[in-house]
Amino acid sequence: MDTLNIRIIVIVVLACAVLLLSVIVLLLRKKRSRARRSRYIEALYALIGGRKNDAYNLLASAVRNGEDDVDAYIQLGDLMRERGQAEKALQLHRGLTVRPGLTFDDEKAIQLSIAEDLAALGKTERAIAALETVRKKRRDADVLAAIHRLYHIRGDFDSAYGALRELSRIDDSVTPGMIASYLTSVACDLIESGDSARGGKYLDKARKEDKSCTGALYFSAGLAMENEDLDRAVRWWEDLLSIDMGYFPEVAARLEKALFESGRFDELEGILSRLLSEYPSDSLLLSSLAGFYAKKGEISRGIDLLENERGRIAGNNNLTVSLASLYIKNGRIDEALTVLEENDRITPATGSWKCDSCGKTYGTRLGFCRTCCSFDSIRKDETTQ
């Protein structure tokens, strides 16, 4: 074999060796990459499953081993913040801002986390500023929602309201009713803190956003009563009840008082009758209308009204007490005792309503929790049945 052939064989062997080595190195890199990636994926599954400690350890391991996915760093920083390490989270998240080739979604996610870090450190102004830089580039629902919340935390309710209105223009799920609910919750806090004048202005805005917002009507009427603006109070009480009769137990006495003090007591009959046409045979309305007749000295008329509902009286304490009281006032003692005895034989259904947000209980369903300012959070408490 001549020297040339030997050289060719050596070159071929070396080339094969180099190629084989390259393939092995490539496979090892892919294997390591898959291993690193699997920690990140496992961390996401852990987060979905609520196993935050596992997710934290997996993400920390993935980052240490060279994971370069931006979301891995964001998630790790968020978990740091939840563990009381907001300063470290802020440093980690800020480090991502200098990465080249960031998409808008990447930048948005980073700035949202930075804002949360700053807010956790009590630096709300800087948190808002961080998000305003993103807001200027594009009107984004997530960014606007976060800005709204931060302005509210800072106590800048007008700016929070403005952000919420802007959000409603790009997110159909943010309805006028929701905006009105927010304004009413702000008004609730202001009124309870003693700033009724300012609270009233937010209630005006709430009613303009949604004229059927029950919370706004409820507080507006109550505030009008305090300010002795009885005509408005009556109008708003009636508007409220035409939308939600759940407020009647709280509203009835104040509505009657407003009408009496304004010299319009006779109008109560028309209001109650109109409400009865919307809510036929409502026991509280029937009792109130019968009581109205009694106060006017028309006891027999009240008795006739309730006797027409005699089939519904048994087991209904409101109607039972009302009819028995009218019988007594009319001198018909035996009939009063009969009604009361019939009611005693039946165990009436009882129940209460509970706020999902704060646990406050009510005797009837309300559309607004006055304790925690939550809307549509009150549900029937089945445990009281």
Side-chain angles (χ1 to χ4, degrees):
M1 183 179 295
D2 57 26
T3 304
L4 180 59
N5 289 335
I6 292 173
R7 288 180 179 176
I8 292 174
I9 292 173
V10 171
I11 292 172
V12 171
V13 170
L14 288 175
C16 290
V18 171
L19 179 61
L20 179 61
L21 182 61
S22 299
V23 171
I24 291 171
V25 170
L26 181 61
L27 290 173
L28 287 173
R29 284 180 177 175
K30 287 185 175 180
K31 184 177 180 180
R32 285 197 295 268
S33 177
R34 286 196 298 270
R36 290 197 299 268
R37 187 65 177 179
S38 67
R39 293 188 183 96
Y40 172 47
I41 298 300
E42 287 176 19
L44 294 181
Y45 278 112
L47 283 173
I48 293 171
R51 297 180 288 109
K52 292 189 175 182
N53 285 334
D54 291 343
Y56 178 83
N57 293 329
L58 287 165
L59 286 169
S61 176
V63 168
R64 282 195 301 269
N65 284 279
E67 173 63 55
D68 60 357
D69 194 304
V70 171
D71 185 63
Y73 288 80
I74 292 174
Q75 296 285 359
L76 179 59
D78 289 346
L79 289 173
M80 284 180 174
R81 182 178 62 249
E82 290 184 18
R83 294 159 74 98
Q85 300 173 319
E87 192 65 54
K88 288 184 177 180
L90 180 59
Q91 293 174 8
L92 180 63
H93 288 142
R94 276 182 171 165
L96 297 173
T97 61
V98 298
R99 279 201 179 192
L102 291 174
T103 66
F104 173 81
D105 288 338
D106 289 335
E107 183 179 348
K108 180 186 79 171
I110 293 168
Q111 292 299 334
L112 283 170
S113 287
I114 287 175
E116 290 291 340
D117 299 336
L118 289 168
L121 292 168
K123 302 174 182 178
T124 311
E125 290 279 357
R126 291 171 62 184
I128 294 171
L131 293 181
E132 288 290 2
T133 60
V134 184
R135 182 188 194 180
K136 292 175 182 177
K137 292 183 179 181
R138 186 186 301 177
R139 194 163 61 175
D140 180 85
D142 294 332
V143 173
L144 285 170
I147 289 174
H148 158 71
R149 186 177 65 83
L150 289 171
Y151 273 127
H152 178 76
I153 291 172
R154 197 179 71 174
D156 186 350
F157 303 131
D158 286 337
S159 294
Y161 169 44
L164 195 58
R165 290 201 70 184
E166 186 176 349
L167 176 59
S168 70
R169 298 188 189 105
I170 60 174
D171 186 350
D172 292 339
S173 68
V174 180
T175 63
M178 290 178 62
I179 297 175
S181 295
Y182 169 69
L183 293 168
T184 303
S185 70
V186 170
C188 172
D189 289 338
L190 291 171
I191 291 170
E192 290 185 352
S193 66
D195 194 351
S196 296
R198 192 175 170 208
K201 292 179 180 178
Y202 280 100
L203 289 174
D204 291 341
K205 293 178 181 179
R207 293 194 315 277
K208 288 179 181 177
E209 289 287 345
D210 180 11
K211 63 181 180 181
S212 64
C213 178
T214 55
L217 290 168
Y218 178 88
F219 277 104
S220 295
L223 201 57
M225 285 282 289
E226 291 180 13
N227 295 331
E228 298 183 353
D229 189 350
L230 302 180
D231 289 342
R232 284 187 177 180
V234 170
R235 185 174 76 251
W236 285 328
W237 287 137
E238 186 175 2
D239 288 345
L240 172 63
L241 294 176
S242 67
I243 296 168
D244 190 345
M245 268 296 293
Y247 283 91
F248 190 77
E250 294 193 46
V251 168
R254 281 183 273 185
L255 173 62
E256 184 174 322
K257 179 181 179 182
L259 287 168
F260 179 79
E261 291 182 355
S262 61
R264 300 164 52 194
F265 185 66
D266 285 345
E267 292 181 24
L268 181 60
E269 178 181 8
I271 292 173
L272 294 175
S273 296
R274 284 194 294 275
L275 289 171
L276 268 172
S277 67
E278 296 180 46
Y279 307 99
S281 300
D282 183 281
S283 62
L284 292 175
L285 282 173
L286 287 166
S287 297
S288 294
L289 186 55
F292 167 80
Y293 290 140
K295 289 174 183 177
K296 290 195 66 177
E298 301 175 3
I299 298 175
S300 295
R301 191 176 178 185
I303 291 174
D304 291 341
L305 174 69
L306 295 181
E307 283 185 337
N308 289 333
E309 300 289 336
R310 190 63 182 264
R312 300 180 61 253
I313 288 178
N316 188 300
N317 286 329
N318 288 318
L319 295 180
T320 296
V321 171
S322 295
L323 182 56
S325 176
L326 292 179
Y327 278 145
I328 291 171
K329 289 178 181 179
N330 207 31
R332 297 158 65 175
I333 307 301
D334 290 341
E335 290 176 84
L337 291 173
T338 299
V339 170
L340 292 173
E341 288 172 356
E342 287 177 353
N343 187 63
D344 285 342
R345 298 190 193 104
I346 299 174
T347 302
T350 59
S352 65
W353 284 256
K354 187 175 182 179
C355 175
D356 290 339
S357 299
C358 69
K360 174 70 175 179
T361 57
Y362 294 90
T364 187
R365 185 188 69 80
L366 301 178
F368 173 76
C369 179
R370 290 176 291 112
T371 301
C372 68
C373 296
S374 297
F375 285 78
D376 298 324
S377 63
I378 298 176
R379 306 284 182 268
K380 189 70 174 288
D381 186 0
E382 301 298 337
T383 62
T384 61
Q385 295 301 305

